[in-house]
Amino acid sequence: MNAVPSLQDPLWLVGLAALPLLAWWHHRGERLGALTYSRLPGAGRGGGWRLHLPFYSRLLALALLLVALGRPQLGYAFEESLTEGIDIEIVLDVSGSMGAEDFRPRNRLAVAKEVVKEFIAARPADRIGVVIFSGSAVTKAPLTTDRQMLSLLVDSVELNTLPDGTAIGVALANAAARLKDSEAESKVIILVTDGVNNAGAIDPASAAAVAKGLGIRVYTVGVGTAGRVPIPIRSIDPITGREVTRRVLMNVEVDEQLLRRIAEHTGGVFYQATDSERFREIFGEIDRLEKTTLETRHYVRYKEAFQPFAWAALAMLLLPLVLVAGGATAEP
């Protein structure tokens, strides 16, 4: 917080323009032959400057008094930021197909986790939660502003940690339930999946209707490229008995029509992410669409600073008297 000097009544400083005129008039009197003398002791011995000392002391006192009347102040400025955050649930598919390696050199889930962490870090004013799903859905992180905790929890997300399948309806309903009691002005779900709803007891259309009823916008992101993609599959080698990973080319379908209907029904937008760069662009666009309201109020607190000038003016008025008194004491 920096101090900013200012004047409350600056018109008093106009009087400073008269000071050179007064000095000119003072010395003009001498040139016209006026008789001037000083009562200061030793005036004749100490030089001509002593003759003018009372005048210039009063002149300087007048200047300081005019500055004091201008009411110099020190303003201490500070700002208050008021944010109206958004509550966001990120719903992330962790089914085996998210291990597809068409987002080289990493798989789909690795890229999704990286982009999600960047998104979280860029929104410090919002509460964000994370739901993961495949054949069922669980809350990985509750709504929170703790960015460090969120980053660690997203890092810990792994493939095949839930029953197999893609329960889009259950995942969407889980996230909506987390936002049900939210008092945020804006509530958002970002659904990231690469599959077709084939598990769970809740229909995606019903879950979307619930989200809409709660005032939640759903942005849907379909992940992956069309065609056959390499997916790592773990199995037990019958000869060695050890776990091995084989890459199998498989067709992974994304239910684009379903994701589009969910987004449109809730006022969101459907996106298709075909590579890591496009994935980042999508989350960047969502970030721009869902701007957090930020209001900044500017305050200035003033402190009066005229006192030093007033005291200095009084000191200048008393200076000739002090010198006279000192000279009289020193006189034999």
Side-chain angles (χ1 to χ4, degrees):
M1 186 166 60
N2 297 323
V4 180
S6 64
L7 286 171
Q8 182 67 20
D9 301 311
L11 286 178
W12 284 101
L13 299 189
V14 176
L16 295 175
L19 300 186
L21 182 61
L22 292 174
W24 173 80
W25 186 263
H26 171 74
H27 290 288
R28 179 176 178 273
E30 291 183 341
R31 291 198 299 273
L32 293 176
L35 179 62
T36 58
Y37 65 96
S38 174
R39 295 181 181 274
L40 291 174
R45 301 187 301 273
W49 68 271
R50 289 178 179 269
L51 298 174
H52 303 291
L53 181 60
F55 169 77
Y56 278 106
S57 293
R58 291 192 293 270
L59 194 67
L60 182 56
L62 178 60
L64 291 167
L65 184 59
L66 287 171
V67 174
L69 288 171
R71 287 184 63 192
Q73 298 177 328
L74 292 177
Y76 295 91
F78 60 96
E79 291 184 346
E80 180 183 36
S81 295
L82 303 174
T83 59
E84 189 175 283
I86 299 173
D87 281 355
I88 302 172
E89 283 285 347
I90 297 174
V91 182
L92 190 56
D93 190 344
V94 295
S95 59
S97 58
M98 285 292 286
E101 297 174 342
D102 50 344
F103 284 13
R104 290 191 176 278
R106 291 163 296 176
N107 61 37
R108 297 173 179 179
L109 182 62
V111 172
K113 287 164 56 175
E114 186 174 304
V115 173
V116 165
K117 287 195 298 180
E118 293 171 0
F119 178 81
I120 289 171
R123 304 186 67 92
D126 302 322
R127 293 197 309 165
I128 299 178
V130 179
V131 171
I132 61 172
F133 75 100
S134 53
S136 61
V138 298
T139 298
K140 188 69 174 178
L143 286 168
T144 180
T145 57
D146 189 335
R147 296 295 174 267
Q148 186 175 5
M149 183 193 77
L150 281 169
S151 181
L152 290 173
L153 289 173
V154 172
D155 266 334
S156 68
V157 171
E158 295 182 357
L159 294 167
N160 302 309
T161 52
L162 296 173
D164 195 24
T166 305
I168 293 175
V170 171
L172 193 56
N174 185 305
R178 291 291 174 180
L179 292 171
K180 176 172 63 72
D181 298 323
S182 168
E183 296 180 359
E185 175 112 357
S186 185
K187 296 176 283 189
V188 171
I189 292 174
I190 304 175
L191 172 65
V192 180
T193 182
D194 69 345
V196 176
N197 185 73
N198 56 19
I202 301 177
D203 177 61
S206 300
V210 170
K212 181 181 180 180
L214 294 172
I216 301 170
R217 275 187 304 281
V218 182
Y219 294 91
T220 55
V221 183
V223 181
T225 55
R228 295 163 64 83
V229 292
I231 298 178
I233 296 178
R234 295 178 180 178
S235 60
I236 302 297
D237 188 314
I239 299 176
T240 63
R242 296 179 180 179
E243 186 179 85
V244 294
T245 301
R246 297 182 297 109
R247 283 167 176 77
V248 179
L249 290 175
M250 297 179 61
N251 282 320
V252 181
E253 296 182 13
V254 178
D255 195 340
E256 180 179 331
Q257 295 303 317
L258 172 64
L259 298 180
R260 192 181 298 277
R261 285 197 304 271
I262 291 172
E264 291 176 353
H265 187 65
T266 59
V269 181
F270 165 73
Y271 299 96
Q272 183 73 42
T274 55
D275 54 45
S276 57
E277 188 59 36
R278 178 57 183 152
F279 218 135
R280 280 187 171 81
E281 290 175 0
I282 290 169
F283 269 79
E285 185 170 333
I286 295 173
D287 182 54
R288 289 189 294 272
L289 288 172
E290 295 294 338
K291 278 297 180 186
T292 299
T293 302
L294 176 63
E295 180 184 351
T296 301
R297 295 178 182 175
H298 185 76
Y299 299 92
V300 180
R301 187 170 293 163
Y302 290 101
K303 179 182 178 182
E304 296 288 348
F306 70 88
Q307 297 93 336
F309 296 97
W311 285 112
L314 179 62
M316 288 297 100
L317 290 174
L318 295 176
L319 178 61
L321 300 177
V322 172
L323 292 177
V324 168
T329 304
E331 203 52 48

